[in-house]
Every structure is written in structure tokens, then in C-alpha cells.
Amino acid sequence: MSVRNIFVVGLDEHNRQRLAHLRGAENYRFHGVIEPAEVNDTEIFPIEDMLARAETQLIAFGEPVDAIVGYMDFPVSTMLPILCERLGTRSTSLESLLKCEHKYWSRLVQHEVIADYIPRFTAFDPFDNQALQRIGEAGLYFPFFVKPIKSSGSRLGFRIDSPEDFVQAVERLCEDIGTISEPFNYVLEHATLPDEVRLVDGGHCMAEEIIGGWQCTLEGYVFQGDIVPYGIVDSLRYPQVLSFFCYRYPSLLPANIQEKMQALTRSIMAHIGYDNAAFNIEYFWDEVQDRIWLLEINTRVAQSHCDLFEKVDGVSHQQVMVDLALGQLPDMPYRQGDFNVAAKFFYRVFFTDATVSQVPSVEEIEALQQAFPGTMITLQVEIGMRLSSLPEQDSYSFALAYVWMGADDVITLEDNYARLAEQLHFAFEDIVG
């Protein structure tokens, strides 16, 4: 078999090593396009310039470009269909991708086929002085949740319990929304949009009915029209706050709930027309009302879950991403990993702001990783850093470290993390509570 050239947007060394372990990787050459720092550790996205530079690099490559892939959220996810179309490689259409990523358009198409499984919603302009009144006229009342039409992670998402909360949230949204709205609007210019969607550009926000319960993420793909859910990851939060505590795989949801989520997934992804690409859908199961809610659809494999699938199933689910981009049925193993359960933990502090004055040393990190086999720890801060400078944080806390762990069972996994967390020593100055 001839060697296949696969270009990865934002490829870093850690993921290069992970991709090298995929099935068939001996026949692949992975190449980076766009530096990882341009799409990962920043909130400034000159997407037009990045696309132009990427296209120039790929055209000048001189050999066949067999696939272009990415495993990150905005801007990578939205760049891929444009880049793939220009180079003639496989991807779902830009319009089908935007029916997932443009939150208002996504809710409109969801309402057409699974209306009973989504919250009440409306779009609003945060710069409109009458925005709160218009939200009420649309039938939404306190409490509700607001977020940008396009965002990544939990950034700029707020629970609104009062007019004062709304005023504070809108101030933040008006101040920061431009960093995403401007590049996202550039993407929208390349798509054919319905009039009602075109009027709601990246500078708008969503207001939605509060939903909740047991949160999870269903990972899936579509290959030549066949929609395949292949794993569900539980998303657990810290008590009484919106911040994530860990992602855990496999899910402990009841089997019938998982089956219903899979059925809903097949229905909505078929309606959207999404094809030949990976995706994941975030759901809630309200156990009290026995009701399932669809939170949002993401057009990529979740990078945070790669190690979980590798630990439990035997290979990162980047396998799915690569196989689909090459036009192949994904060769994803099942339960062939070293652990029965795995999780990504978020080690957090709940300050408004602070300056980091101490972090665990390299030697301390290595000792902990050896003490708990299969563990990987990545620090997100360094001495002298102001917490408020961290990109991609939620509105309530700061993640100081990510910890991936595996175990034979959930109890052992949680106990091991608790013991490890006690030995992660950070210190701070100039704390704002």
C-alpha cells in the first residue's frame, strides 16, 4: 500500500505521538498545517489569513494530499470543510456542519424533528437595549441560560436568575464576543444560509430554557449515510456549579436511556444531512422527569476523550477521524484497552482571579504519574501567570491541571484521583475571591 499523506490542522507533538498508534498508521504520514498555538492557546483567530496560508502550504506540498483533519473546536472545525473543498479531500458539507455549530440554526433544524427533546430558545442581540424584553416576549423567563451563537467549551455562558445577572452577562458578552463573531462571520459568508439564519450572525446570542440532569456526550460518525454512535462519555460537574469535574468513560447511564439517545442521534444527524465525518452530541437525562434533552452538537471527535478511548477500547477515537477522511469505514476497536474505566479530571480553583506563585515541579509530576500507572498530568498554568489570562475557561473557575487516569472500576478511579489531587501543590498571590 502506498503511503497516505494526512494533514492535521494544529498538530502538536503529543497528538502526533497518539496518531502514530492508530491502526494502519504504518501506512500514514502525518503533517502539521497551521501552528497549534494559533488555534489552541489563543482567543484571536485570523481565520481568513490562516485558510490562505494553509491552502498555499498544501498546494505547494508536491505530493498527493490524501486527507485534511482536525480534532479541535473553533476555528479548526469550521475551517475544515472550506479547506477540504479547496483541496478536493473528503469532508461533510459546510452547510451541514453549520447546522450543528451555528447554535440558532441548529435549534431550528432540531425543532423540525425532535422538538420534544430540546429546550425553549430564542436568539437575541446583546447590543440591543431591549434584549431582555424581547427574550420575555419569546416566552423565556428567569431562570434561563445565555451563550454566544458560536462559542467553544463553556466560554461566555451564563445562568441568568435576575435582571442584574443579565446586565452583567451582557456586559461580558459585548466586551468579548467579537473575538469569535468576526471569524465566524467570515465562515458564514462561504455558506448558503436561510434568510432567518443569515439575520442571526456571529454577533448574536442564544437564550435557552434551563435544562439539566445527568450530562453525557455521545460520540459518533456518519459513513456514506450510515450513522454510527460508538461510545457515551459521562460529564460530571462540581457540586452546585457549572464547572466540569471529570469526563468518565464508559457511561453508567441506564441501557434504555443510552439506546434512546442513540435513536435521537440517528434522527437528527440524518435530518441535517451530515455525512462522512465524526461528531459528538451532548445530552442531559433528567432522571426525576425521565426526560432526555439535547444540549448541543459538535462537529469533531472530542480531543478530551481521546485518551479515555485509548485506555478502555485500545486506541484513540482519532481513528474514526482519520479513517473517515480517507474514505474508509472506521476501524475502531471495542474494549481492548488496559482499563475498564477511564476519566479526565479537571483540577480547579474557584477564584475570580489570582497570580500563580507555585506549581508542581516536573519531578513531582513524574513521580505521581509513576505512582498511578496510566496517568497523564498536564499543567495549564505556570508561575507568574494571571489566571484571567487563561484561554477557554468557563465563567466560574480556572482549570489548573488536567489529569487522565484509568482503573478497574469507578470507585478505584475516584479514590486514586482524590489521593493524587492531594499531592498537587499550587499557591497564589493577589487573590480576588
Side-chain angles (χ1 to χ4, degrees), residues 66 73 114 126 250 293 323 403:
D66 297 292
D73 200 348
I114 57 169
W293 299 101
D323 284 340
V403 181

Side-chain angles (χ1 to χ4, degrees), residues 110-327:
Q110 291 166 31
H111 189 267
E112 291 169 357
V113 290
I114 57 169
D116 291 341
Y117 301 92
I118 64 172
R120 287 174 294 167
F121 65 94
T122 189
F124 70 93
D125 181 351
F127 297 92
D128 178 5
N129 291 333
Q130 302 300 313
L132 185 56
Q133 178 181 333
R134 299 188 200 284
I135 289 170
E137 292 170 352
L140 279 169
Y141 309 102
F142 302 122
F144 56 86
F145 197 78
V146 298
K147 55 188 174 183
I149 285 293
K150 177 65 198 135
S151 64
S152 56
S154 301
R155 183 171 175 264
L156 295 180
F158 302 92
R159 179 187 168 101
I160 307 300
D161 289 292
S162 67
E164 292 75 21
D165 287 347
F166 187 75
V167 168
Q168 293 177 5
V170 163
E171 287 177 356
R172 284 282 308 278
L173 287 162
C174 290
E175 181 179 347
D176 296 336
I177 199 170
T179 58
I180 286 185
S181 66
E182 292 179 12
F184 189 57
N185 284 342
Y186 175 79
V187 172
L188 295 180
E189 291 171 3
H190 290 73
T192 301
L193 307 175
D195 290 342
E196 62 184 321
V197 174
R198 186 168 294 282
L199 292 172
V200 181
D201 67 6
H204 285 72
C205 295
M206 290 286 286
E208 294 191 343
E209 176 186 5
I210 294 289
I211 56 176
W214 185 327
Q215 187 172 355
C216 66
T217 300
L218 182 150
E219 296 279 357
Y221 64 84
V222 189
F223 177 67
Q224 297 180 0
D226 187 19
I227 300 161
V228 182
Y230 60 84
I232 297 180
V233 178
D234 290 332
S235 302
L236 309 179
R237 298 181 185 269
Y238 282 83
Q240 308 303 316
V241 293
L242 293 173
S243 303
F244 286 114
F245 170 63
C246 76
Y247 301 144
R248 181 184 64 203
Y249 178 68
S251 174
L252 297 182
L253 280 165
N256 65 309
I257 299 301
Q258 296 192 41
E259 291 166 3
K260 181 61 178 178
M261 290 176 177
Q262 292 169 0
L264 290 169
T265 296
R266 293 187 181 96
S267 177
I268 185 58
M269 298 311 288
H271 183 64
I272 285 171
Y274 196 82
D275 202 5
N276 297 315
F279 65 87
N280 67 72
I281 303 183
E282 297 176 52
Y283 287 103
F284 284 113
W285 174 46
D286 184 332
E287 189 172 1
V288 175
Q289 299 185 54
D290 192 21
R291 184 169 185 178
I292 293 172
W293 299 101
L294 191 155
L295 178 59
E296 65 181 21
I297 307 172
N298 301 301
T299 56
R300 55 181 168 79
V301 299
Q303 185 181 181
S304 289
H305 299 164
C306 290
D307 189 70
L308 310 187
F309 280 93
E310 190 167 23
K311 281 179 165 48
V312 175
D313 289 334
V315 70
S316 163
H317 64 159
Q318 289 166 324
Q319 184 81 49
V320 171
M321 169 190 77
V322 169
D323 284 340
L324 290 169
L326 292 171

